[in-house]
Amino acid sequence: MSTFLIVLISVSAGTVLSSLLACLPGLHVYNVMGAMVLGILALEGSNWAVPVLVYLPAMTGMIVGWSMLNTIPAVLLGTPDESAMFTVMPGQKYLMAGRGYEGTMITALGGLAGAFFLVLVVAPLAPRYLPVSQEVLRGHMHWVLWIIITFIIMSEWPKGGNRGPAGWAKFYDAWKTLLMGIATFLLSGLLGFIILTRSPVSHEVAFQNIMPAFVGLFAIPWCLLNMISAANVPKQRITKSIEVDGDVILRSVWSGGLGGGLASYLPIVTGGVGGLLAGHATAQRDERIFIMGQGVSKFVYYVGAFMLMFVPGLYLTRGGGAWMIKTLYSPIGVSDYYLVLGCIAIAAAISYLMISPLARGTLWLIDRFNYRHVSSFALIIIVVMVLGVTGWIGLFIALVGTGIGLLPVLYGSRRLNCLGILLLPIACNMSGFGEAITAWLRLT
Amino acid sequence: MTDIQQVLPGHETQSQEMNCPSCHRYVGAVTRCPYCKAKVPKRISLMATRWAAILLATIGLFLLWLMAIHREIPVVMLGDIQPTMNFGQIRVVGQVLNDARTFRNGSMGFNVTDGTGSIMVFVSPRQALELNSRNLVPKAGDSINFAGGLNVSDQDMSMRLLSVSELKLTRAPVQDVELSAIHESMVGSGILVAGKVVDFSMPAPGSRRPYALKISDDTTERTITFWEAEYEQLANPDDLPGAYIRARVSVATYRNEIQLTLSSGADLEILSAPPEKPVRIQTPAQRAAETHRQQARPRDFSRGRSPEARGVAVSSVTTANKGQTLRVRGRVESVRAPQEGSRQPFVVTLADDQATLRVVYWSNVNDVIEVKPTPGAMFELEGLVEVYEDTPQLKVESGYRVRPVGDDDEAPAPSGEVPIADITAADQGQVRTLRGTLGAPRSLGKGTAYELKDDSGSIDLILWDSIVPADVRAGLEEGAEVVATGEVGLYQGQLQLKASPGRSVAPAR
Amino acid sequence: MKGFSHFMSGVAVASFCPWSIDAALQGNPLFFILGGACGILPDTLDFKVYRFFYDHDVYVTPDPGHLDPQYIADEIARAVNLAYDDKRYIRLKLVSVRLGADFWQQYIVNFDNEKLEVTVKFGPVVNTGQVPVEGTENRFPQVARATIKCKVIQTYDAALKVDIFDGPTIGLAQRPDGGLDVDFLPWHREWSHSLTVGLMLGVVFAFIAGLFFGNWTVGWQGLVTIALCYGVHVVEDQLGHMGSNIFYPLTKHRTPGLHWMHSGDGLPNFLTVWGACLLIFWNLYRAIPDPTYTFGFIHLMMVGLVVPGLIMGGFHWLFTRRDRAAARGDDADDEWNDMKAASG
């Protein structure tokens, strides 16, 4: 079989697989890729060894497919319970207005626009300009992380303090949520110090050290809150068109591309942080731009981070996907770069075409089945995965992470503060006083 | 719910708990109405989740912290490191292969081996400063026990030192050597040299050339090389010209010439008087360290398996073995002690049916030999093969490598086979040839293990796919009698023989 | 300007201080953190501390369960008349009406100086993006009116539209002609947005660094960094409408701004952020002793700003040829419309 066909089939298979898996809430593509890496390593040297030309396109397709299609559970499978949560995400607003399908498609369109942006704009310029910025920023990443941390903490807005006479009571009412945000950041930071310094997870699966914590901080709370939600999904309408024009797409690419690009390039900074920074920087008010920008940002973040590993002259390892690939393969030359770019383009097209039928299918599903059961099923898969890869200790870490991850949602602060798990310990280590802190914590 | 709330999108499907039961105003997630101050009851599942979150985030985290601080970081052999261990924290116990090198940004790096492989260890600039201040900068030959974070990719692996406080370093005694006595066998090790500075040349500003400090003792002259980082660490560099100094240097080669390198300015001491001549006394630890150093293996992608020492009969030792470390068994023909007060070595003549071999060692080695070789006794000696007047001789450097084997011990077969029961933990890192019967194969992922059994005992035979050819492995099966050559190792307390690269396992004839 | 613009401006100003980069290369992020934090600090002091202690004379608190525009009009009129009668500064708080996690009942207050009355009308229900909810536009067609005793002059052109988050505060100040001036958000930039306050904070930092940590060098470097970065926030806000009390406590009132922009305008905010990033990049580049890649300032600006800006601008022009009425930002956006922070 020709190389072209092998690559085409592999990328298509990876895209389709991840697109289907992306519909399950809480399951992250990096978890699935981690299991795949284990399998590939186990088969190495045997008659069933998986060649690079199969797993590389497949994994590229998986990342693209997931980043495009995980919009579906994010928008359609999470009904905000206003008796439990303080804020409603923009995608959820569409769901509550019966426009969940429309919201999903707007986000997906953002993902497609992100694919064009990545392949046609970023890819040709990256080999020329990113090495320059690498040189300029060398030695400065630590304070970049610190100012991001500073902004995350200082930019959080008090949710209370809107009623009553002036005084300490009003001040405390306002600061309750801010203090909870700071507490979330510090608790997750402490969890990060523990895992990155003296992880209880077995060293034999250390490459998935952080997975239980992330699952606990983000995925499990999502599932749990769905399961106990007292809100139901309003009747949904499937529209034939969406109200966007070229300017909305342009501004979404501008906003989302900036956020996703920052997140993919800067170490430790995730898509949520990038989105926050870009949102504040571009000051877009239109909700369509916000939602579409999220689609752009997510795509550029996940796929862009993966792509950076293949940029000739750069070979930057960013994002969990790239770190996992690095254990199997080190890219060389421009041919790998073109291969990955081609796979991104193909996978983006396939996944975009899949989103409409899968969104409709999901709407059909939630019309007939209680979305809480879907979340329960997803929770079981997550728990089995954590248990299978990292054992009981991983499950305990996930539980602790769940506690921390529930705090912002139930007590009115930002989920973003949970990223302290990586931001705080790594910023401290980069600045050189991480060891002083771990010594004080008796971890070293 | 009020009328208006009923028309708000999605509110018709929301729970009544978002409104105050008393005044019916929207209150959201709070538990007390900000309008009428009435309590807003929430369902049990929600309250339980809220409390569970607090408890898990605090008590759960505390328990996790307790678990972490009481967890021992496991010791992992470098040869057993897998890609899935990336980001893992492991402990390595081994020996430093080379003096730690300071990089331009102030960080440091050094290589460590534990006999199964080697790895580069990186130290951050702050940790490097602390290592310097606590005199813990690793030098070649030092024994080291440290914990670090792994970075494993498909092409290489490295570690990042986790904590200076968890690093245990046992200094390898450094040999005080006359300048003329420095030779190639010392490459990779640290030595002490002393002499008078006869020339000190500094590089031109902006140049990347090193500093060159030429010193002279009674025997010859040598140049010590170092760079800007080390120069800045010198206490009084202006006092160097013409001064007597003592320095700990690393021996390396550069363009086929011996090069002495100063790793740290703190390793150079300006003396107030001419130094005394070095006395070549070596403690057993020094000899053991030197022997261990010579057995240090370079890093390779076959997960560190690169055997050097082989057990052979006297007649098997030829000039072609020059530079190799061999264990030789034979009958002692004669022993000649040196004249008192002289610096001559002990000379032992070892023989078998076909040849004789001259074995030399010095007094310090003799001091620690428990059972001295005597004419007529069967002995086994391990040392470095040298060529003297076109004839091979064995230079023994450790008295612990000299032992009697007894007359009723079987002489080794020409191929150097030994009974399995003879393999002990002291043989770690040595190459042995065993004959036995294979047990059932067990897959190790990237290799296969067989139990190898003979009349005296059994041992695990490990064949790694990356170094033992497929056709060799394919020819092995349970019940087959084979002769296997490999390196003795210890894994999880059990001895094992790791088959050497190539056709090291063959059917017995 | 939006908080992030001020924040990045502070970081950019810090990057001009050579000690910031030297310290950063030694692993010390202090000065850059100070730069960003002090860049955003004036607004933090106002919106997260001071406003909760700012007492009001009259609180207009509509009942979400029983929406009555007349109550609002009467209370506002009472505040105006109190200011007129007592000849003192009256602080009036208009509380927002929350109907859901994402829904707010809008009401609009207008002062009719011809008829000497205040009018109040309930508008539609809006979401946190201030987008009206369909079907809620004309639920309250009635316009409530209440008589006031004097003219009320609005020099600030922000609409008295109360909808999302915390409602506005109005200050009613005496005019020489007997009327009242409306001060929008009187507690905002009352003392916090002052160059002298920034300098004083720097002095405090210097003393702490010197006396408690014995490091006077860091002390004076911190003083300069804080004063400059805090000051850049004040300077940027002067480009808007509200202005600031620039030399508090030496000055007593806000100096009106230059009216060059609204604080919520998208393009000026983005240009400020992006320009700050490029300046930071340039300063970091200048500090490299022997760079592998060399480029000039003009080259950087062309590649980083001008060329992509022209391309984006060209596409934007193409896509919006038919509709040139771009929505202008509202100064209320800066402080009130923190939609992304709330949903983050």
Side-chain angles (χ1 to χ4, degrees):
Chain A
M1 199 188 287
S2 74
T3 304
F4 174 76
L5 272 178
I6 292 172
V7 168
L8 185 64
I9 293 170
S10 304
V11 68
S12 305
T15 308
V16 170
L17 174 66
S18 71
S19 299
L20 295 170
L21 289 173
C23 296
L24 286 173
L27 194 63
H28 201 289
V29 68
Y30 291 159
N31 304 142
V32 181
M33 282 176 71
M36 278 181 68
V37 166
L38 281 174
I40 291 170
L41 286 171
L43 293 172
E44 215 176 60
S46 73
N47 293 334
W48 297 96
V50 183
V52 172
L53 276 180
V54 170
Y55 69 70
L56 194 57
M59 285 186 171
T60 307
M62 287 184 72
I63 292 179
V64 171
W66 187 86
S67 61
M68 187 78 84
L69 272 104
N70 89 324
T71 305
I72 291 178
V75 175
L76 302 180
L77 289 179
T79 309
D81 180 356
E82 294 189 28
S83 68
M85 298 181 202
F86 284 77
T87 48
V88 178
M89 313 283 267
Q92 293 173 324
K93 291 183 200 178
Y94 270 76
L95 182 74
M96 298 315 285
R99 299 163 65 196
Y101 177 80
E102 190 183 340
T104 305
M105 292 312 296
I106 292 176
T107 312
L109 186 60
L112 190 67
F116 274 96
F117 176 66
L118 209 55
V119 174
L120 297 179
V121 178
V122 176
L125 298 175
R128 171 73 181 86
Y129 291 110
L130 286 184
V132 180
S133 70
Q134 273 298 97
E135 197 198 17
V136 172
L137 293 175
R138 188 172 297 129
H140 293 287
M141 279 301 177
H142 68 101
W143 66 257
V144 172
L145 291 185
W146 279 113
I147 64 168
I148 288 173
I149 290 170
T150 306
F151 184 72
I152 286 174
I153 292 177
M154 289 188 77
S155 68
E156 185 157 14
W157 217 246
K159 303 254 178 356
N162 296 333
R163 302 185 57 82
W168 286 105
K170 194 174 184 183
F171 178 75
Y172 175 66
D173 188 47
W175 271 78
K176 271 190 306 199
T177 56
L178 297 182
L179 288 172
M180 188 53 81
I182 294 171
T184 304
F185 187 82
L186 293 175
L187 287 169
S188 58
L190 176 57
L191 180 62
F193 272 113
I194 292 171
I195 289 175
L196 295 177
T197 312
R198 215 174 190 98
S199 174
V201 172
S202 166
H203 62 280
E204 286 171 1
V205 284
F207 81 119
Q208 291 284 290
N209 250 350
I210 205 89
M211 180 264 289
F214 262 84
V215 161
L217 286 170
F218 298 104
I220 296 180
W222 177 264
C223 294
L224 275 178
L225 290 170
N226 278 348
M227 286 159 66
I228 66 168
S229 172
N232 294 312
V233 180
K235 187 93 181 103
Q236 299 296 309
R237 298 186 299 278
I238 294 182
T239 54
K240 287 201 166 60
S241 65
I242 50 178
E243 279 181 69
V244 292
D245 57 25
D247 190 54
V248 169
I249 296 174
L250 179 71
R251 288 195 282 158
S252 305
V253 170
W254 171 41
S255 161
L258 185 63
L262 275 175
S264 66
Y265 179 66
L266 297 174
I268 313 306
V269 175
T270 62
V273 175
L276 171 79
L277 300 177
H280 279 256
T282 55
Q284 299 297 306
R285 298 185 56 214
D286 191 327
E287 268 190 348
R288 295 170 302 165
I289 293 175
F290 186 74
I291 291 183
M292 193 183 294
Q294 280 198 322
V296 177
S297 177
K298 203 158 33 114
F299 191 95
V300 171
Y301 166 56
Y302 284 108
V303 182
F306 184 74
M307 186 191 87
L308 284 178
M309 193 182 170
F310 299 87
V311 173
L314 195 68
Y315 305 118
L316 211 55
T317 314
R318 294 284 186 263
W323 279 107
M324 280 189 260
I325 286 285
K326 204 175 173 189
T327 58
L328 301 171
Y329 180 74
S330 292
I332 28 174
V334 292
S335 58
D336 285 341
Y337 191 45
Y338 292 142
L339 171 71
V340 165
L341 290 178
C343 291
I344 291 171
I346 295 170
I350 294 173
S351 56
Y352 183 75
L353 290 172
M354 287 179 70
I355 200 161
S356 179
L358 283 174
R360 288 169 195 255
T362 305
L363 287 175
W364 175 88
L365 196 75
I366 60 176
D367 202 32
R368 275 154 185 75
F369 300 100
N370 194 325
Y371 73 92
R372 298 171 187 83
H373 298 153
V374 177
S375 297
S376 305
F377 177 66
L379 181 62
I380 292 169
I381 294 178
I382 289 167
V383 167
V384 166
M385 182 186 63
V386 170
L387 204 53
V389 177
T390 53
W392 290 104
I393 190 61
L395 195 60
F396 182 60
I397 294 173
L399 268 177
V400 173
T402 302
I404 299 173
L406 283 169
L407 291 178
V409 184
L410 296 177
Y411 292 96
S413 63
R414 282 202 289 222
R415 274 182 226 239
L416 214 56
N417 292 314
C418 294
L419 290 172
I421 187 174
L422 287 181
L423 283 170
L424 190 58
I426 291 179
C428 288
N429 285 337
M430 279 184 169
S431 292
F433 47 85
E435 197 178 326
I437 294 176
T438 52
W440 180 76
L441 289 170
R442 292 172 50 199
L443 291 169
T444 54
Chain B
M1 196 181 295
T2 62
D3 290 340
I4 181 56
Q5 287 168 341
Q6 285 175 347
V7 307
L8 295 176
H11 267 212
E12 71 280 7
T13 56
Q14 287 287 338
S15 154
Q16 289 298 312
E17 287 178 11
M18 69 176 184
N19 301 312
C20 172
S22 175
C23 64
H24 306 292
R25 293 175 181 87
Y26 170 82
V27 296
V30 300
T31 50
R32 191 165 289 283
C33 178
Y35 302 99
C36 67
K37 309 298 176 201
K39 203 159 174 242
V40 182
K42 304 287 184 189
R43 58 195 179 280
I44 291 174
S45 58
L46 182 59
M47 293 312 293
T49 306
R50 288 170 72 124
W51 278 108
I54 300 267
L55 289 171
L56 281 172
T58 51
I59 298 174
L61 189 60
F62 176 69
L63 290 174
L64 191 65
W65 171 74
L66 281 179
M67 210 183 290
I69 61 171
H70 289 107
R71 178 180 178 260
E72 283 297 321
I73 294 179
V75 176
V76 175
M77 307 301 281
L78 295 174
D80 295 332
I81 290 174
Q82 303 294 325
T84 55
M85 296 181 188
N86 192 21
F87 304 131
Q89 296 100 33
I90 64 168
R91 182 172 293 282
V92 174
V93 180
Q95 193 174 31
V96 181
L97 278 174
N98 58 283
D99 288 5
R101 196 184 134 213
T102 305
F103 304 121
R104 257 190 283 181
N105 66 350
S107 63
M108 212 180 250
F110 56 93
N111 286 290
V112 171
T113 179
D114 65 356
T116 64
S118 66
I119 197 164
M120 178 77 166
V121 183
F122 291 100
V123 174
S124 72
R126 231 161 253 220
Q127 288 173 328
L129 280 173
E130 197 179 341
L131 287 176
N132 268 306
S133 66
R134 291 166 65 169
N135 192 23
L136 284 175
V137 176
K139 307 265 190 225
D142 292 346
S143 299
I144 191 167
N145 178 334
F146 72 99
L150 271 173
N151 188 356
V152 183
S153 70
D154 93 301
Q155 287 192 341
D156 58 22
M157 59 184 188
S158 62
M159 285 178 78
R160 177 187 44 84
L161 183 70
L162 204 60
S163 159
V164 173
S165 54
E166 287 201 34
L167 184 145
K168 294 183 186 64
L169 200 68
T170 307
R171 291 285 183 205
V174 184
Q175 188 179 354
D176 199 348
V177 177
E178 280 181 334
L179 295 178
S180 62
I182 299 171
H183 57 85
E184 278 181 10
S185 67
M186 296 176 181
V187 169
S189 66
I191 57 173
L192 270 180
V193 294
K196 184 175 179 179
V197 176
V198 296
D199 186 41
F200 181 28
S201 62
M202 297 199 272
S207 162
R208 291 188 180 192
R209 292 176 65 80
Y211 292 77
L213 188 75
K214 190 185 277 190
I215 62 169
S216 159
D217 66 6
D218 293 341
T219 60
T220 188
E221 288 180 350
R222 288 273 191 192
T223 301
I224 299 174
T225 306
F226 53 93
W227 277 261
E228 187 66 39
E230 291 78 45
Y231 177 76
E232 285 172 4
Q233 293 166 341
L234 293 172
N236 298 301
D238 296 335
D239 296 340
L240 281 171
Y244 288 99
I245 63 131
R246 180 178 290 118
R248 188 209 176 277
V249 296
S250 309
V251 183
T253 55
Y254 179 67
R255 293 181 181 168
N256 294 321
E257 298 281 326
I258 293 269
Q259 184 187 54
L260 304 181
T261 312
L262 187 73
S263 307
S264 165
D267 289 339
L268 189 145
E269 179 196 359
I270 298 179
L271 305 172
S272 51
E276 289 178 10
K277 277 193 186 172
V279 178
R280 241 181 137 235
I281 295 171
Q282 286 190 316
T283 66
Q286 280 180 299
R287 301 315 320 155
E290 197 171 309
T291 308
H292 201 148
R293 172 187 43 79
Q294 289 175 356
Q295 289 167 357
R297 285 157 184 80
R299 183 180 173 341
D300 68 65
F301 289 94
S302 62
R303 308 279 183 224
R305 288 166 281 281
S306 55
E308 287 176 14
R310 295 180 294 160
V312 294
V314 169
S315 52
S316 304
V317 180
T318 66
T319 53
N321 297 124
K322 181 183 174 185
Q324 295 177 17
T325 302
L326 299 180
R327 179 180 283 200
V328 183
R329 182 186 286 214
R331 195 167 296 280
V332 177
E333 233 180 44
S334 65
V335 179
R336 193 183 78 215
Q339 287 178 1
E340 207 169 303
S342 77
R343 299 179 74 177
Q344 293 167 343
F346 285 79
V347 179
V348 172
T349 306
L350 211 63
D352 65 7
D353 296 335
Q354 295 166 37
T356 60
L357 180 69
R358 186 167 181 263
V359 180
V360 299
Y361 52 84
W362 273 262
S363 339
N364 57 300
V365 173
N366 185 63
D367 289 344
V368 299
I369 296 175
E370 202 175 330
V371 177
K372 309 282 192 246
T374 49
M378 280 293 286
F379 260 77
E380 211 169 63
L381 298 92
E382 185 178 305
L384 186 70
V385 176
E386 291 180 334
V387 174
Y388 180 68
E389 294 178 353
D390 290 331
T391 307
Q393 73 175 20
L394 192 74
K395 186 173 83 171
V396 175
E397 292 174 317
S398 167
Y400 296 106
R401 305 287 176 178
V402 179
R403 69 182 185 108
V405 291
D407 281 331
D408 53 345
D409 285 359
E410 279 183 23
S415 62
E417 294 168 17
V418 297
I420 290 176
D422 275 9
I423 307 293
T424 65
D427 295 326
Q428 264 190 89
Q430 303 301 311
V431 171
R432 296 288 176 267
T433 301
L434 306 176
R435 177 188 290 258
T437 308
L438 294 177
R442 303 184 319 268
S443 174
L444 302 176
K446 292 190 177 183
T448 313
Y450 293 88
E451 189 194 25
L452 184 67
K453 212 168 168 179
D454 68 4
D455 295 334
S456 65
S458 66
I459 192 170
D460 269 346
L461 174 65
I462 311 295
L463 290 87
W464 293 112
D465 297 344
S466 53
I467 60 171
V468 178
D471 62 313
V472 171
R473 289 181 277 117
L476 303 175
E477 59 184 8
E478 184 178 354
E481 198 181 346
V482 299
V483 174
T485 301
E487 183 184 311
V488 177
L490 192 68
Y491 182 68
Q492 292 183 347
Q494 297 294 322
L495 286 169
Q496 57 180 213
L497 188 78
K498 290 181 266 195
S500 301
R503 318 194 82 77
S504 55
V505 182
R509 291 190 183 82
Chain C
M1 280 207 183
K2 283 189 143 333
F4 191 53
S5 307
H6 291 304
F7 184 86
M8 287 309 297
S9 301
V11 177
V13 167
S15 73
F16 278 95
C17 304
W19 54 81
S20 304
I21 297 180
D22 290 341
L25 289 171
Q26 309 286 331
N28 182 359
L30 174 68
F31 297 106
F32 281 111
I33 294 176
L34 277 178
C38 292
I40 204 176
L41 192 59
D43 282 340
T44 302
L45 289 172
D46 276 349
F47 287 96
K48 288 162 92 166
V49 181
Y50 184 50
R51 74 174 161 122
F52 304 114
F53 295 97
Y54 190 82
D55 216 351
H56 298 82
D57 299 290
V58 177
Y59 285 85
V60 177
T61 315
D63 182 349
H66 301 94
L67 292 171
D68 180 10
Q70 193 60 52
Y71 155 77
I72 300 171
D74 288 344
E75 282 296 291
I76 294 172
R78 183 169 74 83
V80 171
N81 297 337
L82 192 59
Y84 178 78
D85 291 338
D86 291 1
K87 296 281 182 281
R88 63 183 175 96
Y89 193 85
I90 292 295
R91 302 161 177 185
L92 168 67
K93 171 74 174 176
L94 301 171
V95 179
S96 56
V97 183
R98 191 168 201 178
L99 300 180
D102 190 41
F103 301 111
W104 311 78
Q105 174 62 62
Q106 187 184 81
Y107 63 91
I108 300 140
V109 177
N110 204 23
F111 292 99
D112 189 342
N113 289 323
E114 297 291 326
K115 296 181 185 173
L116 283 182
E117 50 181 36
V118 56
T119 60
V120 173
K121 183 181 187 307
F122 279 116
V125 175
V126 299
N127 65 15
T128 317
Q130 293 178 308
V131 175
V133 174
E134 213 177 292
T136 64
E137 290 83 356
N138 289 312
R139 291 187 312 117
F140 302 95
Q142 170 206 4
V143 176
R145 296 169 196 279
T147 309
I148 53 178
K149 289 183 180 177
C150 64
K151 291 184 181 178
V152 177
I153 311 300
Q154 277 180 255
T155 52
Y156 190 63
D157 63 358
L160 268 180
K161 193 164 48 174
V162 183
D163 42 32
I164 62 174
F165 296 118
D166 197 13
T169 297
I170 308 294
L172 298 166
Q174 307 297 310
R175 286 171 62 88
D177 61 5
L180 295 172
D181 272 325
V182 170
D183 285 342
F184 187 63
L185 300 182
W187 49 264
H188 185 33
R189 307 181 190 176
E190 186 183 35
W191 57 267
S192 58
H193 288 53
S194 157
L195 297 173
T196 37
V197 167
L199 186 60
M200 286 191 288
L201 280 173
V203 169
V204 169
F205 176 89
F207 270 109
I208 292 173
L211 289 175
F212 290 99
F213 298 97
N215 197 333
W216 288 102
T217 305
V218 168
W220 74 257
Q221 289 170 346
L223 187 162
V224 172
T225 307
I226 289 171
L228 288 177
C229 299
Y230 196 98
V232 80
H233 183 126
V234 178
V235 168
E236 285 173 342
D237 278 348
Q238 278 306 114
L239 304 179
H241 293 253
M242 189 185 281
S244 307
N245 189 358
I246 301 176
F247 293 106
Y248 177 89
L250 304 171
T251 51
K252 298 281 179 258
H253 303 289
R254 295 194 294 228
T255 304
L258 296 171
H259 300 258
W260 286 0
M261 57 170 283
H262 284 91
S263 58
D265 285 346
L267 192 59
N269 273 286
F270 175 73
L271 285 176
T272 304
V273 171
W274 192 244
C277 290
L278 290 175
L279 286 174
I280 293 166
F281 193 81
W282 174 248
N283 286 326
L284 296 183
Y285 166 72
R286 280 191 314 138
I288 301 174
D290 189 18
T292 310
Y293 306 96
T294 53
F295 51 88
F297 184 75
I298 303 291
H299 185 179
L300 174 67
M301 287 298 145
M302 290 299 289
V303 170
L305 182 64
V306 174
V307 170
L310 287 174
I311 293 172
M312 288 281 289
F315 276 115
H316 175 67
W317 180 84
L318 263 175
F319 292 137
T320 59
R321 269 177 305 176
R322 292 196 190 115
D323 180 11
R324 287 274 166 260
R328 290 181 69 201
D330 190 335
D331 276 307
D333 285 350
D334 183 8
E335 289 82 25
W336 312 116
N337 196 5
D338 198 31
M339 177 173 69
K340 291 172 183 60
S343 60

